[in-house]
Amino acid sequence: MKINMNAWKQEALSSRKRLALPILTSLGFGLTGKSIRDGATNSRAQADAIVALARRYEFAASPMMMDLSVEAEAFGAKIKLSEDEVPVVIGAVLHDCSEVAALAIPSLSAGRIPLYLDAARLAAAEVTDRPVFAGCIGPFSLAGRLFGMTEIMTEMLMDPDGILALLEKCTVFLETYLQAFAATGVNGVIIAEPAAGLLSPAQCDEFSSVFVRRLISKVQNEHFAVVLHNCGNTGGQNPSMLSTGAWGLHFGNKIDMVKTLAELPSDVLLMGNIDPAGVFRMGTPELVLTE
């Protein structure tokens, strides 16, 4: 359903109520009798889990399954599928920067990309009382999966131009992918860029934020919002992440929410800060409510 996301955001900002937007599509499979593997390999199974969660819980929005192996697989990476865990990338596609030039930018028919686009179309058609957010990986995190994180951190120092060339290819692909998501009818996308939390402020700006900013400027409009997620980053460490133009920002539990709110533009939604392991997984319902 088409929703004016700027108006939706203003309503959220003016409300005194705290909104819940958990990314837990994986738990939806428990409601439908399917496995995570089913959701990662079947668009109908994934959409059914999103719909089941929306019918049971009053979430502010419905996020799709966050599978950060999809884009790397499209580039040729091997993945491991499990019944009860999201797929993971195994092995690198690239071994040094000399191989970047020959790396082909995949089409939207590669790997499981069509499956995720179809799941988005199905979910957007059936969840009509709130926004639906697709999910994708960020440029630097994608490059890290193609190269290996240890290796890419080394190559950034040894051959920064080679890594920038790789990031250019990753960004071109993601631009096309996000435009395809927008065409499915979903109301936005959550871009997960967790690897940027490993970078210094200067590195984050050069190797992540500048490319994220480009993605956002390409696809974000009043009907398609971009939320930028980073697990380990704190706003004060990498300030460039606060100025990408994203409609909303989602950070992990290491961030100081009050400090970050003071640094943010007043029209940006801030999300996160609750420990997923210590609170959501190990805590009691009372602890979750308190946090």
Side-chain angles (χ1 to χ4, degrees), residues 7-291:
W8 189 95
K9 179 174 64 173
Q10 287 306 316
E11 183 178 345
L13 287 168
S14 62
S15 172
R16 299 296 298 172
K17 183 180 179 181
R18 292 192 180 172
L19 304 179
L21 206 171
I23 304 172
L24 44 63
T25 310
S26 298
L27 299 182
F29 300 118
L31 302 177
T32 61
K34 300 292 184 180
S35 67
I36 294 177
R37 184 188 185 107
D38 292 330
T41 57
N42 184 284
S43 58
R44 183 70 265 177
Q46 185 178 150
D48 285 346
I50 297 165
V51 173
L53 286 166
R55 288 175 177 168
R56 181 158 178 168
Y57 300 108
E58 295 183 8
F59 298 151
S62 290
M64 291 181 57
M65 182 174 173
M66 188 61 74
D67 178 353
L68 303 187
S69 70
V70 177
E71 299 86 352
E73 182 187 28
F75 271 93
K78 293 182 179 180
I79 65 164
K80 179 182 178 181
L81 291 165
S82 303
E83 288 299 311
D84 299 313
E85 294 186 17
V86 293
V88 295
V89 174
I90 52 173
V93 174
L94 302 169
H95 302 92
D96 60 61
C97 287
S98 67
E99 299 174 341
V100 170
L103 182 69
I105 299 173
S107 73
L108 295 179
S109 63
R112 290 174 297 133
I113 295 294
L115 183 158
Y116 277 75
L117 292 173
D118 190 48
R121 179 184 60 80
L122 292 169
E126 296 176 44
V127 178
T128 57
D129 63 341
R130 70 200 75 181
V132 176
F133 281 90
C136 82
I137 198 169
F140 182 72
S141 300
L142 173 55
R145 278 161 172 73
L146 299 178
F147 227 118
M149 282 311 303
T150 300
E151 291 77 10
I152 197 171
M153 296 297 282
T154 301
E155 287 295 309
M156 284 166 52
L157 300 174
M158 302 296 293
D159 190 352
D161 289 341
I163 297 303
L164 289 172
L166 172 59
L167 286 164
E168 177 66 26
K169 291 192 172 187
C170 291
T171 303
V172 168
F173 170 72
L174 291 173
E175 285 175 350
T176 305
Y177 190 28
L178 294 188
Q179 288 168 338
F181 267 132
T184 67
V186 297
N187 308 105
V189 63
I190 299 172
I191 299 178
E193 184 72 314
L198 302 172
L199 303 176
S200 70
Q203 288 176 326
C204 183
D205 192 30
E206 182 179 7
F207 294 99
S208 175
S209 296
V210 66
F211 295 99
V212 170
R213 196 174 295 118
R214 193 172 107 192
L215 280 176
I216 291 171
S217 68
K218 197 87 167 183
V219 301
Q220 185 166 259
N221 55 54
E222 65 178 353
H223 296 298
F224 192 79
V226 177
V227 173
L228 175 60
H229 165 75
N230 181 270
C231 295
N233 179 256
T234 60
Q237 289 178 342
N238 286 346
S240 66
M241 293 198 71
L242 305 181
S243 58
T244 57
W247 179 89
L249 292 170
H250 181 279
F251 291 113
N253 60 294
K254 297 181 183 297
I255 192 176
D256 183 327
M257 292 287 275
V258 175
K259 181 175 182 292
T260 305
L261 278 169
E263 298 172 349
L264 275 180
S266 61
D267 63 344
V268 175
L269 287 178
L270 183 62
M271 315 169 201
N273 196 41
I274 300 180
D275 184 353
V279 176
F280 281 118
R281 179 168 175 78
M282 305 302 295
T284 63
E286 292 75 21
L287 178 62
V288 174
L289 181 60
T290 299
E291 291 297 308

